[in-house]
């Protein structure tokens, strides 16, 4: 499955078919221009765990349900923070997981969260973003204000 196929499946009006962990990693690899799937996985794991610490409630459960099992475990196994971090603090925390560079951490977060948003679909991704501080939109590949999803 090509990365474009994953995007098309998640954006269709019908419920998207489940994406495998390998397909999610391939999307992350493509988006982040990582040389191997192993590198994409090394990037995806801490970003997904970090996301799991930021989400609570129904959106957390629904997001985990639409992700591949391995990714869902990474999100759902985290103890949620009492208050979500700003996107800047989220990236700062991830920098320690990578090379210490904020630019690398931001790049990695955008590659993973953008792929997650496409797998989740527009409606769920919008609800997830509404649960987070507003500065997360760019990390999820969203530009501009969040607008209600309509018919």
């Amino acid at each position: 499955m090509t990365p474009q196929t994953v995007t098309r499946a998640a954006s269709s009006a019908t419920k998207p078919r489940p994406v495998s962990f390998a397909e999610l990693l391939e999307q992350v690899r493509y988006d982040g221009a990582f040389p191997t799937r192993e590198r994409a996985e090394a990037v995806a794991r801490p970003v997904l765990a970090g996301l799991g610490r930021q989400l609570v409630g129904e959106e957390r459960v629904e997001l985990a349900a639409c992700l591949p099992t391995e990714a869902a475990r990474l999100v759902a196994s985290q103890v949620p923070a009492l208050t979500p971090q700003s996107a800047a603090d989220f990236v700062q925390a991830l920098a320690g997981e990578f090379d210490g560079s904020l630019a690398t951490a931001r790049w990695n977060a955008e590659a993973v969260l953008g792929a997650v948003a496409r797998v989740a679909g527009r409606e769920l991704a919008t609800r997830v973003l509404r649960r987070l501080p507003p500065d997360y939109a760019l990390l999820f590949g969203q530009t501009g204000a969040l607008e209600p999803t309509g018919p």
Side-chain angles (χ1 to χ4, degrees):
M1 171 173 273
T2 67
Q4 293 79 13
T5 307
V6 171
T7 302
R8 267 194 308 261
S11 65
S12 68
T14 62
K15 184 173 180 170
R17 76 164 183 78
V19 174
S20 72
F21 192 54
E23 290 169 328
L24 177 65
L25 292 177
E26 187 58 26
Q27 182 70 51
V28 170
R29 188 195 67 73
Y30 181 84
D31 289 353
F34 300 117
T36 65
R37 187 175 293 164
E38 291 77 19
R39 177 66 183 135
E41 183 171 357
V43 165
R45 287 184 177 280
V47 174
L48 290 167
L51 178 61
R53 288 187 291 275
Q54 302 309 305
L55 291 176
V56 296
E58 186 177 316
E59 287 77 15
R60 175 186 169 105
V61 173
E62 286 184 46
L63 181 63
C66 78
L67 292 173
T69 303
E70 298 90 334
R73 281 190 199 126
L74 287 165
V75 170
S77 67
Q78 304 304 308
V79 175
L82 294 175
T83 58
Q85 295 175 307
S86 69
D89 289 341
F90 180 79
V91 169
Q92 178 71 46
L94 286 174
E97 298 280 340
F98 304 117
D99 67 2
S101 159
L102 292 177
T104 299
R106 184 171 186 83
W107 179 270
N108 293 348
E110 288 174 356
V112 175
L113 297 178
V116 166
R118 286 188 299 280
V119 168
R122 179 183 168 95
E123 189 271 330
L124 178 55
T126 298
R127 287 192 295 121
V128 165
L129 280 169
R130 287 195 175 133
R131 284 280 189 169
L132 296 168
D135 56 348
Y136 274 81
L138 288 175
L139 292 180
F140 279 83
Q142 305 294 318
T143 58
L146 293 177
E147 305 209 9
T149 56

